[in-house]
Amino acid sequence: MDGLVWGGKGVNALPRHLRGFAQTHLALRRDSRRLVAAAPLLTSAGLPRAAEWWRQLRAIVDWHHRTEDEILWPGLIKRVPEIAAGSHRMVQDHVALDDSMFRVTKALKGGRAELIGGPVDTFDTVLHQHLQEEELTFPAFARVPADVFAALERRVLAAAPFRVKRVLPPWLLDGLPQPDGLMPGPVRLVGRTLLEGAYRRSLTGILQPR
């Protein structure tokens, strides 16, 4: 499933304070589809460029999940204690996802393009299963005051390493809906101008596999 799980809502149908989180999940689904499409077309010569793109994606996933575990979920549990059990399951999901990403990384470094398909398919499956967390997260987020959630989200963004911060605006805007409230206008402008060129160059390894 490539759409949002909770009620089949599009991003703009969600409360404003949920749209950044929802957009992140849409972007993860988009990039997983790109990797699945590229895998059978990659040759050993093309693996290094694909690996560069993958390192960028993996850094985003690592940041997203680390800050979920360390910042977002602890903050939300203070407001909605009953989600604690579900959050523990998602932490376990992160372990499975980390393992699948390790296998993709290993395959890309291995130099044998014919071995990339299995790890990529596993990653795609694990990722999509994990994103079904939306069935729990969106209803829980909707019960948290918007200002409280916004404060947690600011902490999450502040915890992003520089390599994630410099790619996050164009990554979130790449070929996806642009909901109101996703990011401030100046940040969106920077994502469409100063950061766009480097981000587009990073995609060649996966959008033009060889």
Side-chain angles (χ1 to χ4, degrees):
M1 176 181 285
D2 290 328
L4 302 175
V5 172
W6 182 38
K9 291 180 173 69
V11 177
N12 274 318
L14 297 173
R16 248 176 113 84
H17 64 289
L18 303 188
R19 294 174 187 171
F21 188 88
Q23 191 84 346
T24 300
H25 281 195
L26 288 178
L28 292 174
R29 288 181 169 97
R30 176 204 63 212
D31 280 1
S32 184
R33 290 196 303 271
R34 284 174 170 171
L35 182 59
V36 169
L41 304 177
L42 283 169
T43 66
S44 295
L47 289 182
R49 290 198 313 162
E52 289 179 12
W53 170 86
W54 171 253
R55 282 193 292 272
Q56 175 176 280
L57 176 62
R58 185 170 180 179
I60 293 171
V61 177
D62 286 342
W63 158 74
H64 178 62
H65 286 162
R66 176 177 57 80
T67 53
E68 275 188 342
D69 295 344
E70 297 176 0
I71 298 173
L72 192 60
W73 283 114
L76 291 173
I77 288 169
K78 291 179 181 178
R79 291 282 179 162
V80 191
E82 58 268 32
I83 68 174
S87 70
H88 176 72
R89 175 178 60 81
M90 282 179 284
V91 170
Q92 296 304 113
D93 283 355
H94 292 172
V95 174
L97 189 57
D98 285 345
D99 180 68
S100 73
M101 291 193 298
F102 170 78
R103 293 175 186 276
V104 173
T105 299
K106 184 177 179 181
L108 286 168
K109 289 181 176 178
R112 297 178 60 187
E114 69 273 15
L115 300 181
I116 189 68
V120 164
D121 288 343
T122 298
F123 166 73
D124 182 64
T125 298
V126 172
L127 176 70
H128 279 79
Q129 289 175 346
H130 171 60
L131 291 181
Q132 292 181 29
E133 70 178 15
E134 292 158 356
E135 296 174 336
L136 171 67
T137 57
F138 289 149
F141 291 174
R143 296 164 59 189
V144 175
D147 62 328
V148 172
F149 187 87
L152 289 170
E153 198 164 48
R154 284 194 295 271
R155 289 178 57 198
V156 165
L157 291 172
F162 176 72
R163 66 177 300 186
V164 170
K165 287 178 178 175
R166 70 182 180 184
V167 76
L168 200 59
W171 182 79
L172 286 170
L173 295 169
D174 180 9
L176 296 175
Q178 297 181 33
D180 294 336
L182 173 62
M183 62 183 70
V187 177
R188 189 165 57 249
L189 178 61
V190 168
R192 289 295 190 199
T193 55
L194 296 178
L195 302 178
E196 177 77 5
Y199 172 71
R200 286 292 162 191
R201 287 191 295 274
S202 75
L203 295 179
T204 57
I206 204 71
L207 295 185
Q208 300 173 30
R210 59 180 179 85

